[in-house]
PDB file of all heavy atoms in Angstrom:
ATOM      1  N   GLY A 207     -14.917  26.040  -8.054  1.00  0.00           N
ATOM      2  CA  GLY A 207     -13.899  26.385  -7.070  1.00  0.00           C
ATOM      3  C   GLY A 207     -13.111  25.217  -6.509  1.00  0.00           C
ATOM      4  O   GLY A 207     -12.281  25.382  -5.615  1.00  0.00           O
ATOM      5  N   GLY A 209     -10.861  23.654  -7.920  1.00  0.00           N
ATOM      6  CA  GLY A 209      -9.460  23.772  -8.328  1.00  0.00           C
ATOM      7  C   GLY A 209      -9.174  23.139  -9.678  1.00  0.00           C
ATOM      8  O   GLY A 209      -8.023  22.808  -9.989  1.00  0.00           O
ATOM      9  N   LYS A 210     -10.205  22.991 -10.490  1.00  0.00           N
ATOM     10  CA  LYS A 210     -10.025  22.347 -11.805  1.00  0.00           C
ATOM     11  C   LYS A 210      -9.007  23.069 -12.672  1.00  0.00           C
ATOM     12  O   LYS A 210      -8.047  22.471 -13.153  1.00  0.00           O
ATOM     13  CB  LYS A 210     -11.360  22.315 -12.580  1.00  0.00           C
ATOM     14  CG  LYS A 210     -12.367  21.337 -12.060  1.00  0.00           C
ATOM     15  CD  LYS A 210     -13.630  21.373 -12.891  1.00  0.00           C
ATOM     16  CE  LYS A 210     -14.314  22.741 -12.883  1.00  0.00           C
ATOM     17  NZ  LYS A 210     -14.705  23.244 -11.566  1.00  0.00           N
ATOM     18  N   THR A 211      -9.261  24.379 -12.891  1.00  0.00           N
ATOM     19  CA  THR A 211      -8.410  25.114 -13.821  1.00  0.00           C
ATOM     20  C   THR A 211      -6.957  25.120 -13.344  1.00  0.00           C
ATOM     21  O   THR A 211      -6.030  24.863 -14.115  1.00  0.00           O
ATOM     22  CB  THR A 211      -8.949  26.546 -13.998  1.00  0.00           C
ATOM     23  OG1 THR A 211     -10.335  26.455 -14.343  1.00  0.00           O
ATOM     24  CG2 THR A 211      -8.198  27.285 -15.082  1.00  0.00           C
ATOM     25  N   THR A 212      -6.784  25.384 -12.056  1.00  0.00           N
ATOM     26  CA  THR A 212      -5.435  25.376 -11.491  1.00  0.00           C
ATOM     27  C   THR A 212      -4.801  23.991 -11.687  1.00  0.00           C
ATOM     28  O   THR A 212      -3.629  23.881 -12.070  1.00  0.00           O
ATOM     29  CB  THR A 212      -5.489  25.688  -9.977  1.00  0.00           C
ATOM     30  OG1 THR A 212      -6.351  26.809  -9.772  1.00  0.00           O
ATOM     31  CG2 THR A 212      -4.129  25.983  -9.418  1.00  0.00           C
ATOM     32  N   ASP A 234     -14.803  25.789 -20.555  1.00  0.00           N
ATOM     33  CA  ASP A 234     -15.633  26.428 -19.535  1.00  0.00           C
ATOM     34  C   ASP A 234     -16.225  27.710 -20.115  1.00  0.00           C
ATOM     35  O   ASP A 234     -15.510  28.673 -20.400  1.00  0.00           O
ATOM     36  CB  ASP A 234     -14.756  26.753 -18.314  1.00  0.00           C
ATOM     37  CG  ASP A 234     -15.547  27.434 -17.206  1.00  0.00           C
ATOM     38  OD1 ASP A 234     -16.754  27.725 -17.403  1.00  0.00           O
ATOM     39  OD2 ASP A 234     -14.950  27.662 -16.129  1.00  0.00           O
ATOM     40  N   ARG A 237     -17.559  30.505 -16.414  1.00  0.00           N
ATOM     41  CA  ARG A 237     -16.740  31.405 -15.608  1.00  0.00           C
ATOM     42  C   ARG A 237     -16.223  32.537 -16.495  1.00  0.00           C
ATOM     43  O   ARG A 237     -15.609  32.267 -17.524  1.00  0.00           O
ATOM     44  CB  ARG A 237     -15.559  30.638 -15.025  1.00  0.00           C
ATOM     45  CG  ARG A 237     -14.741  31.394 -14.048  1.00  0.00           C
ATOM     46  CD  ARG A 237     -13.501  30.575 -13.706  1.00  0.00           C
ATOM     47  NE  ARG A 237     -13.257  30.536 -12.272  1.00  0.00           N
ATOM     48  CZ  ARG A 237     -12.506  31.443 -11.660  1.00  0.00           C
ATOM     49  NH1 ARG A 237     -11.961  32.427 -12.313  1.00  0.00           N
ATOM     50  NH2 ARG A 237     -12.300  31.341 -10.364  1.00  0.00           N
ATOM     51  N   ALA A 240     -12.474  32.528 -18.137  1.00  0.00           N
ATOM     52  CA  ALA A 240     -11.916  31.209 -17.821  1.00  0.00           C
ATOM     53  C   ALA A 240     -10.696  30.915 -18.693  1.00  0.00           C
ATOM     54  O   ALA A 240      -9.686  30.382 -18.227  1.00  0.00           O
ATOM     55  CB  ALA A 240     -12.974  30.137 -18.017  1.00  0.00           C
ATOM     56  N   GLN A 243      -7.658  32.910 -17.607  1.00  0.00           N
ATOM     57  CA  GLN A 243      -7.082  32.319 -16.381  1.00  0.00           C
ATOM     58  C   GLN A 243      -6.108  31.199 -16.743  1.00  0.00           C
ATOM     59  O   GLN A 243      -4.982  31.136 -16.250  1.00  0.00           O
ATOM     60  CB  GLN A 243      -8.204  31.782 -15.498  1.00  0.00           C
ATOM     61  CG  GLN A 243      -7.721  31.311 -14.123  1.00  0.00           C
ATOM     62  CD  GLN A 243      -8.758  30.452 -13.392  1.00  0.00           C
ATOM     63  OE1 GLN A 243      -9.827  30.143 -13.932  1.00  0.00           O
ATOM     64  NE2 GLN A 243      -8.440  30.075 -12.174  1.00  0.00           N
ATOM     65  N   ASP A 286     -10.379  21.339 -19.608  1.00  0.00           N
ATOM     66  CA  ASP A 286     -10.888  21.986 -18.396  1.00  0.00           C
ATOM     67  C   ASP A 286     -12.370  22.274 -18.611  1.00  0.00           C
ATOM     68  O   ASP A 286     -12.762  22.776 -19.665  1.00  0.00           O
ATOM     69  CB  ASP A 286     -10.117  23.302 -18.166  1.00  0.00           C
ATOM     70  CG  ASP A 286     -10.553  24.003 -16.884  1.00  0.00           C
ATOM     71  OD1 ASP A 286     -11.097  23.323 -15.984  1.00  0.00           O
ATOM     72  OD2 ASP A 286     -10.341  25.227 -16.791  1.00  0.00           O
ATOM     73  N   THR A 287     -13.199  21.935 -17.642  1.00  0.00           N
ATOM     74  CA  THR A 287     -14.640  22.165 -17.806  1.00  0.00           C
ATOM     75  C   THR A 287     -15.153  23.164 -16.769  1.00  0.00           C
ATOM     76  O   THR A 287     -14.426  23.562 -15.863  1.00  0.00           O
ATOM     77  CB  THR A 287     -15.430  20.849 -17.645  1.00  0.00           C
ATOM     78  OG1 THR A 287     -15.191  20.336 -16.335  1.00  0.00           O
ATOM     79  CG2 THR A 287     -15.008  19.828 -18.684  1.00  0.00           C
ATOM     80  N   ALA A 288     -16.414  23.498 -16.925  1.00  0.00           N
ATOM     81  CA  ALA A 288     -17.013  24.495 -16.038  1.00  0.00           C
ATOM     82  C   ALA A 288     -17.453  23.894 -14.719  1.00  0.00           C
ATOM     83  O   ALA A 288     -17.724  22.700 -14.609  1.00  0.00           O
ATOM     84  CB  ALA A 288     -18.214  25.126 -16.731  1.00  0.00           C
ATOM     85  N   GLY A 289     -17.506  24.745 -13.698  1.00  0.00           N
ATOM     86  CA  GLY A 289     -18.044  24.325 -12.411  1.00  0.00           C
ATOM     87  C   GLY A 289     -19.167  25.252 -11.982  1.00  0.00           C
ATOM     88  O   GLY A 289     -20.004  24.914 -11.159  1.00  0.00           O
TER      89      GLY A 289
HETATM   90 MG1  LIG B 717     -12.074  26.768 -13.646  1.00  0.00          MG
END
Side-chain angles (χ1 to χ4, degrees):
K210 287 180 299 301
T211 308
T212 314
D234 180 356
R237 187 188 226 270
Q243 187 195 4
D286 182 22
T287 61

